[in-house]
């Protein structure tokens, strides 16, 4: 049986990895690297995978790995539109709620690899954390199995190239928003609401107020906030 390697550190991906492994254990030998320090050529040689999948991976993949093994990552835009960092946040800021999950070959230049397949995806509702978990389900339930079971022909990216810039923590400050409406406030809070991400915030004197868990109750928006000393 072919060896398949999953490289991820996100809890939701690890949970879905074990479900996929259980589902396809008769067809493939699955392995996982869940610590970025263990992503080395020596470790991969021991596994000798047919494919290496990188769901929600934010670090540089060494050239010695992607030149010797078929490496596939997943990007939350209809490439070549939206190459670069912070795709979810940039999509929502641009009000592009209908997007695609692109499965692409890892390449030297960021997000420029050939495309295996794309899957439609709606980001009009839900927090960033919820959206990432939903993407993970699609990756493990649909995209990875389809790649494994089909002889997909990779295709060059076609269309206008639009590059996104990775957002900084300072850009989570609500004072940077122009022409604030209820809808733009809702989008801004939810797109930054995920573990490990700089949440939307505003400052009062030496206090920093972070906003999360926003939802519409039928009449108004509600949510939660945390107050901490600004550091």
């Amino acid at each position: 049986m072919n060896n398949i390697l999953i490289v991820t550190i996100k809890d939701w991906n690890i949970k879905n990895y074990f479900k996929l492994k259980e589902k396809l254990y008769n067809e493939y030998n699955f392995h996982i690297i869940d610590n970025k320090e263990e992503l080395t050529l020596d470790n991969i040689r021991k596994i000798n995978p047919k494919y290496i999948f990188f769901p929600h991976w934010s670090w540089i993949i060494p050239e010695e790995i992607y030149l010797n093994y078929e490496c596939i990552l997943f990007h939350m835009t209809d490439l070549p539109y939206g190459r670069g960092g912070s795709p979810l946040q940039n999509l929502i800021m641009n009000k592009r709620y209908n997007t695609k999950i692109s499965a692409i070959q890892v390449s030297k230049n960021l997000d420029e690899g050939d495309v295996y397949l794309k899957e439609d995806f709606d980001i009009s509702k839900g927090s960033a954390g919820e959206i990432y978990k939903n993407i993970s389900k699609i990756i493990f339930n649909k995209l990875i199995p389809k790649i494994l079971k089909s002889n997909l022909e990779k295709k060059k990216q076609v269309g206008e190239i639009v590059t996104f810039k990775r957002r900084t923590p300072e850009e989570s400050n609500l004072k940077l928003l122009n022409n604030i409406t209820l809808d733009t406030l809702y989008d801004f809070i939810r797109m930054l609401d995920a573990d490990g991400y700089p949440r939307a915030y505003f400052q009062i004197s030496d206090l920093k107020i972070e906003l999360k868990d926003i939802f519409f109750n039928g009449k108004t928006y509600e949510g939660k906030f945390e107050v901490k000393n600004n550091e």
Side-chain angles (χ1 to χ4, degrees):
M1 290 191 292
N2 289 318
N3 291 318
I4 307 298
L5 176 60
I6 308 293
V7 182
T8 185
I9 66 167
K10 298 298 184 181
D11 290 342
W12 56 79
N13 285 329
I14 294 172
K15 290 178 182 179
N16 288 323
Y17 157 78
F18 282 109
K19 291 179 182 178
L20 179 65
K21 181 179 180 180
E22 182 179 2
K23 183 178 180 181
L24 299 180
Y25 75 96
N26 281 327
E27 302 175 58
Y28 305 94
N29 290 320
F30 282 93
H31 305 264
I32 189 169
I33 288 178
D34 56 6
N35 183 328
K36 63 176 182 171
E37 305 304 325
E38 295 178 3
L39 183 63
T40 66
L41 186 59
D42 285 342
N43 285 336
I44 291 174
R45 280 174 173 162
K46 295 174 185 176
I47 299 171
N48 190 30
K50 179 178 181 180
Y51 293 108
I52 307 176
F53 295 101
F54 292 84
H56 205 121
W57 189 254
S58 302
W59 293 276
I60 297 296
I61 299 168
E63 185 177 80
E64 62 185 4
I65 292 176
Y66 68 75
L67 289 181
N68 287 286
Y69 296 91
E70 194 157 5
C71 297
I72 302 172
L73 59 81
F74 304 89
H75 193 74
M76 196 195 312
T77 70
D78 187 6
L79 293 170
Y81 176 88
R83 292 177 180 175
S86 307
L88 173 60
Q89 292 74 24
N90 280 293
L91 285 168
I92 291 178
M93 291 295 288
N94 291 325
K95 300 188 182 300
R96 298 283 292 253
Y97 301 117
N98 294 310
T99 184
K100 294 182 183 292
I101 305 170
S102 297
I104 65 171
Q105 187 175 31
V106 175
S107 60
K108 180 177 181 179
N109 296 317
L110 188 63
D111 302 327
E112 291 187 6
D114 292 349
V115 178
Y116 289 85
L117 74 165
K118 296 180 179 181
E119 182 75 18
D120 292 336
F121 191 66
D122 185 341
I123 59 172
S124 61
K125 296 180 181 179
S127 68
E130 292 167 339
I131 290 171
Y132 293 142
K133 290 176 183 178
N134 288 335
I135 289 174
S136 177
K137 291 178 183 178
I138 292 174
I139 289 173
F140 283 90
N141 293 338
K142 296 184 70 173
L143 301 187
I144 291 178
K146 187 175 289 188
I147 293 171
L148 293 178
K149 294 176 178 294
S150 305
N151 292 319
L152 298 175
E153 181 180 346
K154 300 187 295 292
K155 298 179 180 180
K156 297 292 183 181
Q157 295 183 23
V158 177
E160 180 183 0
I161 298 173
V162 176
T163 303
F164 288 161
K165 181 181 178 182
R166 183 173 297 278
R167 291 175 63 87
T168 65
E170 292 74 22
E171 290 177 296
S172 296
N173 194 331
L174 282 162
K175 75 176 184 180
L176 299 178
L177 280 179
N178 296 317
N179 302 318
I180 297 179
T181 66
L182 284 175
D183 288 341
T184 58
L185 183 63
Y186 167 72
D187 274 348
F188 194 78
I189 294 172
R190 73 185 181 91
M191 78 179 194
L192 298 167
D193 190 3
D195 290 340
Y197 289 79
R199 286 193 169 92
Y201 73 92
F202 62 93
Q203 294 179 211
I204 299 176
S205 187
D206 292 330
L207 299 178
K208 183 178 184 181
I209 297 92
E210 296 184 352
L211 308 175
K212 62 179 183 178
D213 296 341
I214 191 170
F215 69 95
F216 186 63
N217 67 9
K219 295 182 179 180
T220 61
Y221 286 101
E222 297 183 5
K224 297 179 181 179
F225 64 89
E226 294 181 359
V227 181
K228 58 184 69 174
N229 289 316
N230 191 31
E231 298 177 354

